[in-house]
Amino acid sequence: MNPYAQEIRRRRTFAIISHPDAGKTTLTEKLLLFGGAIHVAGAVKSNKIKKTATSDWMEIEKQRGISVATSVMAFDYAEHKINILDTPGHQDFAEDTFRTLTAVDSVIIVIDIAKGVEAQTRKLMEVCRMRKTPVIVFVNKMDRDGKDPFDLLDEIEEELKIKVRPLSWPIDMGQRFKGVYNIYEKKLNLYTPSKQYVTENIEFKNINHPDLEQHIGNTQAEKLRADIELIEGVYPEFEIETYLKGDIAPVFFGSALNNFGVKELLDCFIQIAPSPRPVQAVERIVNPEEDNFSGFIFKIHANMDPNHRSCIAFVKICSGRFERNSNYKHVRFGKMMRFSSPTAFMAQKKEVVDEAYAGDIIGLPDTGNFKIGDTLTAGEELHFKGLPSFSPEMFKYIENSDPMKSKQLNKGIEQLMDEGVAQLFTNQYNGRKIIGTVGQLQFEVIQYRLLHEYGAQCKWDPISLYKACWIESDNQDVLENFKKRKSQYMAVDKEGRDVYLADSAYVLTMAQQDFPEIKFHFTSEF
Ligand code: G4P
């Protein structure tokens, strides 16, 4: 057995995802409190980017600065090393979140009991489904009135397209919220609004015991028994294996703000959530407990100081142990590199570390050597897969507005695309460059950074596009014919892959009908 196997197995690397305002930041903070990583509530700054700030780029940068500090929060809890990866709340940074999901082994989804499943949650769950990431659902804000829990479970199954299994069950809600019955541990967790945490934690193996009435009153006792009977009848028995395969999501209820049900969630989480999982590389499957180090870059964060164009490249360690000052191979460059100041992220602090293990995330200071998806190894030729680009939602032509600076502009565009700020497509018909983003904010970010970091000026020209689709076909003739017919709408992405730019949903549907032998993909990885 690998000498570090024990270290690796005790790691739990996950992300908390939610629609903005469901309570992700609050839940994260409570988890950190349990881990002793912080000592006072309010210590974790929300990295939410205020909706009003869309045109105030410096303000956004400041707020993103906070998000670097809280990008990864690590702490020890009950023999386990927990790594929480934070994800930006603002939907214009959704692509960042998608990529972060490639670096986690499991996910906790926070849903607001009143609002139910919201748009952002649906999108993020799609990524989890694609990757078969195990998911736990935390239904938050039980201290407020909201949907009927059974209706909400149906909604989750329908909207998120995943089977659910409640492992705790609420006893009323809002002002009348009494607590939850923890089905997993067979315990009654009682809640007193003024105390704002689990006031009593009572072993309750048999909820038919008459003592139940004393704790929650006759009406609620009767209702709880009926609910639990229904749950046991309707939902399948909880099996860890099914959860680990991503086929079923256990559900917990609580209130993050009141720290209610959070410890119970964490205790169950460390028991059932996976330790680092094997990762698929192009060449082979890489096992976390292999002797040799390997990892990939899933996020690059630009420095906020425009005078130093240095970044932090975030590496997810996929196997073995990383050591400071060792030589590792940058596979795309085919050259060995040494890292003298890798950083780990302990709650709010960032500090230089001498070693890190599979499952951990480290930050490497970088001056433009890395791009998203790059692999580092102890020497082996490995290429990790699974960092898809999604079809952007917005498109604009990017034009140079200072002819003397076209070199700077091209370099800037290239580096920003490597960082994953947006996607570049080159129209094959007129040679013009098109930038695709998920939100308006990115265009402002790009323009600002090109000017301040590269001294290049750009302007945006409108282009009306609906979607970018990566196309492929087993039949080369059909593919060539399609490309000829649609020549004005054909582009290549940064890797030189063929992309069809559909200008409307109708045109796309027609193209799909007319060319059944062509596959149209909405992500770059298929
Ligand atoms: P996010 O990161 O998912 O965007 O959500 P965040 O934790 O910032 O929570 C959004 C709002 O919901 C916050 O209120 C927070 O206090 C509240 N909240 C979180 N958990 C609960 C809960 O269990 N019950 C209730 N009633 N509220 C909860 P805010 O007013 O927007 O911010 P703040 O001024 O309280 O920080």
Side-chain angles (χ1 to χ4, degrees):
M1 194 169 78
N2 174 324
Y4 341 117
Q6 229 20 53
E7 271 301 327
I8 294 169
R9 282 179 207 168
R10 74 184 192 98
R11 278 162 166 70
R12 300 283 181 275
T13 303
F14 72 106
I16 303 178
I17 56 178
S18 74
H19 192 85
D21 276 345
K24 179 168 68 78
T25 313
T26 314
L27 179 63
T28 308
E29 177 172 291
K30 298 293 145 95
L31 293 175
L32 292 181
L33 279 168
F34 283 118
I38 54 168
H39 300 286
V40 285
V44 177
K45 296 278 179 300
S46 164
N47 74 1
K48 250 185 294 179
I49 289 162
K50 294 187 193 76
K51 288 158 198 103
T52 49
T54 43
S55 57
D56 186 351
W57 161 237
M58 278 322 284
E59 184 54 29
I60 294 161
E61 270 296 60
K62 259 203 305 230
Q63 296 187 31
R64 287 202 85 194
I66 296 166
S67 82
V68 179
T70 57
S71 275
V72 185
M73 286 159 281
F75 61 91
D76 283 301
Y77 178 79
E79 314 279 299
H80 292 280
K81 162 107 187 269
I82 316 270
N83 293 314
I84 307 180
L85 273 61
D86 197 15
T87 52
H90 197 292
Q91 63 164 8
D92 284 10
F93 293 105
E95 194 86 15
D96 256 21
T97 304
F98 295 150
R99 283 192 293 257
T100 299
L101 292 181
T102 64
V104 300
D105 298 301
S106 71
V107 153
I108 293 180
I109 296 184
V110 184
I111 291 177
D112 181 330
I113 180 76
K115 301 214 178 113
V117 175
E118 296 173 87
Q120 192 80 345
T121 327
R122 219 172 289 131
K123 256 181 135 170
L124 294 169
M125 182 62 208
E126 257 171 53
V127 181
C128 296
R129 242 195 343 267
M130 242 166 72
R131 306 181 52 81
K132 293 255 161 214
T133 310
V135 163
I136 295 180
V137 175
F138 182 73
V139 179
N140 192 27
K141 308 198 185 179
M142 292 309 298
D143 58 317
R144 290 214 184 140
D145 285 317
K147 303 190 176 196
D148 172 78
F150 280 112
D151 289 349
L152 182 65
L153 292 185
D154 287 348
E155 182 180 325
I156 295 172
E157 289 203 330
E158 200 162 301
E159 299 265 335
L160 298 185
K161 301 193 183 65
I162 184 160
K163 292 255 162 279
V164 296
R165 172 50 157 112
L167 287 188
S168 83
W169 195 251
I171 304 159
D172 220 326
M173 63 173 73
Q175 302 242 313
R176 303 164 314 281
F177 182 51
K178 294 227 161 26
V180 298
Y181 179 64
N182 187 330
I183 304 174
Y184 186 67
E185 293 183 353
K186 299 216 180 320
K187 282 185 180 156
L188 190 63
N189 302 148
L190 294 181
Y191 173 78
T192 314
S194 60
K195 295 276 172 46
Q196 304 206 325
Y197 52 84
V198 177
T199 46
E200 276 185 88
N201 205 338
I202 309 158
E203 185 97 19
F204 231 98
K205 292 255 182 265
N206 175 9
I207 59 160
N208 289 320
H209 198 282
D211 274 1
L212 188 64
E213 272 77 356
Q214 284 176 23
H215 294 292
I216 58 174
N218 291 354
T219 324
Q220 287 304 334
E222 207 173 297
K223 178 157 190 314
L224 179 65
R225 288 190 187 114
D227 283 355
I228 299 291
E229 195 182 325
L230 188 60
I231 290 167
E232 302 299 346
V234 170
Y235 295 98
E237 195 61 28
F238 175 67
E239 285 170 3
I240 291 190
E241 280 314 308
T242 335
Y243 153 72
L244 290 175
K245 276 197 236 146
D247 290 335
I248 201 157
V251 181
F252 287 83
F253 292 84
S255 165
L257 186 64
N258 296 304
N259 208 349
F260 186 87
V262 177
K263 185 169 183 297
E264 290 68 23
L265 171 75
L266 181 59
D267 286 339
C268 175
F269 172 82
I270 55 170
Q271 281 185 43
I272 67 171
S275 53
R277 306 204 295 170
V279 187
Q280 179 73 54
V282 175
E283 293 79 2
R284 64 186 182 86
I285 290 176
V286 177
N287 206 312
E289 291 176 23
E290 289 178 15
D291 287 338
N292 287 330
F293 158 79
S294 69
F296 66 87
I297 316 282
F298 67 95
K299 172 179 172 134
I300 294 177
H301 205 294
N303 194 325
M304 290 189 300
D305 180 352
N307 298 319
H308 301 272
R309 203 186 299 132
S310 75
C311 307
I312 300 177
F314 287 76
V315 183
K316 161 77 188 270
I317 303 181
C318 298
S319 66
R321 182 168 77 146
F322 174 94
E323 282 172 65
R324 184 159 84 99
N325 282 328
S326 281
N327 279 301
Y328 293 117
K329 185 174 185 174
H330 184 313
V331 174
R332 183 167 54 91
F333 286 175
K335 77 169 190 208
M336 300 302 277
M337 291 174 84
R338 250 182 68 185
F339 303 97
S340 58
S341 43
T343 50
F345 307 82
M346 292 301 286
Q348 324 256 235
K349 296 192 299 284
K350 207 172 87 191
E351 52 192 33
V352 172
V353 284
D354 290 324
E355 56 175 25
Y357 297 88
D360 287 338
I361 312 294
I362 49 169
L364 301 177
D366 173 44
T367 47
N369 280 318
F370 290 120
K371 65 180 189 179
I372 295 213
D374 276 349
T375 303
L376 287 173
T377 68
E380 190 180 345
E381 276 289 306
L382 278 180
H383 300 82
F384 286 106
K385 302 204 300 188
L387 281 151
S389 300
F390 294 80
S391 177
E393 312 272 322
M394 293 182 173
F395 302 86
K396 283 181 188 180
Y397 281 121
I398 184 164
E399 293 298 337
N400 187 5
S401 32
D402 179 354
M404 304 298 286
K405 297 281 173 65
S406 71
K407 233 167 101 185
Q408 284 87 334
L409 183 77
N410 287 334
K411 179 158 185 232
I413 294 177
E414 190 180 328
Q415 290 198 346
L416 293 183
M417 297 306 125
D418 283 351
E419 261 182 48
V421 177
Q423 292 180 60
L424 173 72
F425 303 101
T426 311
N427 188 314
Q428 293 303 89
Y429 187 71
N430 56 20
R432 293 179 77 180
K433 287 191 165 85
I434 298 165
I435 302 286
T437 69
V438 279
Q440 176 60 27
L441 207 51
Q442 263 83 6
F443 293 115
E444 292 165 32
V445 170
I446 291 168
Q447 195 160 26
Y448 180 96
R449 290 191 55 192
L450 285 173
L451 183 63
H452 288 83
E453 294 172 31
Y454 299 88
Q457 289 189 42
C458 75
K459 67 181 176 66
W460 302 108
D461 278 354
I463 173 172
S464 165
L465 286 180
Y466 166 66
K467 275 234 155 43
C469 315
W470 285 264
I471 56 165
E472 62 160 354
S473 175
D474 294 333
N475 187 335
Q476 274 311 309
D477 292 342
V478 171
L479 199 61
E480 287 312 316
N481 182 22
F482 179 85
K483 281 159 68 173
K484 214 152 69 203
R485 281 261 300 275
K486 301 279 182 191
S487 62
Q488 291 189 28
Y489 297 95
M490 287 309 303
V492 290
D493 71 3
K494 256 199 100 231
E495 317 299 329
R497 288 171 295 206
D498 287 325
V499 176
Y500 166 53
L501 306 169
D503 53 355
S504 72
Y506 174 75
V507 168
L508 178 60
T509 313
M510 291 308 289
Q512 284 167 320
Q513 271 173 21
D514 293 347
F515 293 86
E517 281 186 85
I518 291 183
K519 293 197 194 98
F520 297 80
H521 301 281
F522 299 101
T523 63
S524 66
E525 199 169 88
F526 31 84

